[in-house]
Amino acid sequence: MNELHLQFLASPGWAKMLETDLLPWILASGDLGDDVLEIGPGPGLTTDLLRTRVPHLTALELDDDLASRLTERLAGTNVVVVRADATDSGLPGAQFTTATCFSMLHHMPTPQAQDLLFAEVHRVLRPGGQFVGVDALDNDAMRAGHQDDTFVPVDPDTLESRLAAARFTSTEIDVGDYQFRFRASKGR
Ligand SMILES: C[S@@+](CC[C@H](N)C(=O)[O-])C[C@H]1O[C@@H](n2cnc3c(N)ncnc32)[C@H](O)[C@@H]1O
């Protein structure tokens, strides 16, 4: 991520947006269960929202430096930070009750990598587990904010079939002004 983007994701303004925009939607997803996975926590403001609401949280982060800083900041809490690529996490199968990814899919280099992530999330979820996420829509403002940065937006119109290819069912997608949100289930 570029430095400006990183600063924004660690800012009080972003924390406020997450609390007013994202949190009500997360809460509307119902019980997240006792063992939750967050993919791509970055500086961890989304981790802070989740960790006070679930018994145990695993935060899976690709970037060495971000993973180290989060490990240090959240030492002694209910969060375990794992430094790994979410397309091949090394985590045990059928462990998690819910998996989340907030504003991270567009930071993956290709649609193929995103599809690998969907398959990996399906593998690590328990039967009946849910996958919930939010990501950016493709527009000029988003592209401008990702200069010198990876920006591979997911087309929400194709997401249901891509999740179905990874064996998710009951997919719901809400498209908003600047982002879309989705929920999908792993069958029992
Ligand atoms: C834009 S940040 C989102 C941070 C946070 N979720 C938020 O909404 O404030 C995206 C994060 O996803 C991480 N990421 C990108 N690809 C990843 C992968 N394959 N596995 C795990 N994390 C990844 C990036 O390193 C970055 O920290």
Side-chain angles (χ1 to χ4, degrees):
M1 270 182 293
N2 68 45
E3 191 48 40
L4 216 60
H5 195 148
L6 204 51
Q7 281 174 20
F8 176 65
L9 291 175
S11 69
W14 183 236
K16 187 82 200 149
M17 274 178 78
L18 292 172
E19 203 165 320
T20 51
D21 272 15
L22 181 64
L23 183 60
W25 179 79
I26 294 176
L27 296 178
S29 299
D31 186 4
L32 303 181
D34 59 6
D35 205 351
V36 175
L37 174 67
E38 181 189 14
I39 301 168
L45 297 190
T46 42
T47 316
D48 291 334
L49 273 192
L50 284 174
R51 71 188 173 93
T52 53
R53 294 174 171 87
V54 301
H56 190 262
L57 182 63
T58 300
L60 182 63
E61 173 57 53
L62 178 65
D63 183 276
D64 278 333
D65 194 37
L66 289 170
S68 304
R69 281 193 261 166
L70 200 58
T71 302
E72 203 173 309
R73 180 164 78 77
L74 298 180
T77 70
N78 61 340
V79 181
V80 170
V81 180
V82 175
R83 215 290 317 158
D85 184 335
T87 62
D88 183 14
S89 69
L91 293 168
Q95 176 176 338
F96 297 100
T97 49
T98 297
T100 68
C101 65
F102 303 125
S103 306
M104 68 75 59
L105 291 172
H106 67 269
H107 281 279
M108 302 189 73
T110 61
Q112 291 73 21
Q114 294 162 348
D115 290 339
L116 284 176
L117 177 142
F118 298 151
E120 179 68 353
V121 171
H122 190 276
R123 185 186 72 77
V124 299
L125 277 174
R126 289 182 203 171
Q130 60 174 337
F131 180 28
V132 301
V134 167
D135 221 282
L137 291 172
D138 188 3
N139 59 42
D140 290 346
M142 279 300 167
R143 285 191 177 268
H146 287 81
Q147 272 181 12
D148 304 322
D149 207 341
T150 305
F151 186 63
V152 180
V154 170
D155 178 353
D157 290 342
T158 63
L159 182 59
E160 184 169 3
S161 63
R162 292 175 68 186
L163 288 171
R167 297 189 290 140
F168 282 101
T169 59
S170 310
T171 298
E172 295 168 24
I173 301 169
D174 304 320
V175 179
D177 294 337
Y178 65 98
Q179 63 181 9
F180 66 90
R181 298 164 171 175
F182 66 91
R183 295 190 184 97
S185 300
K186 175 170 175 169
R188 287 184 185 279

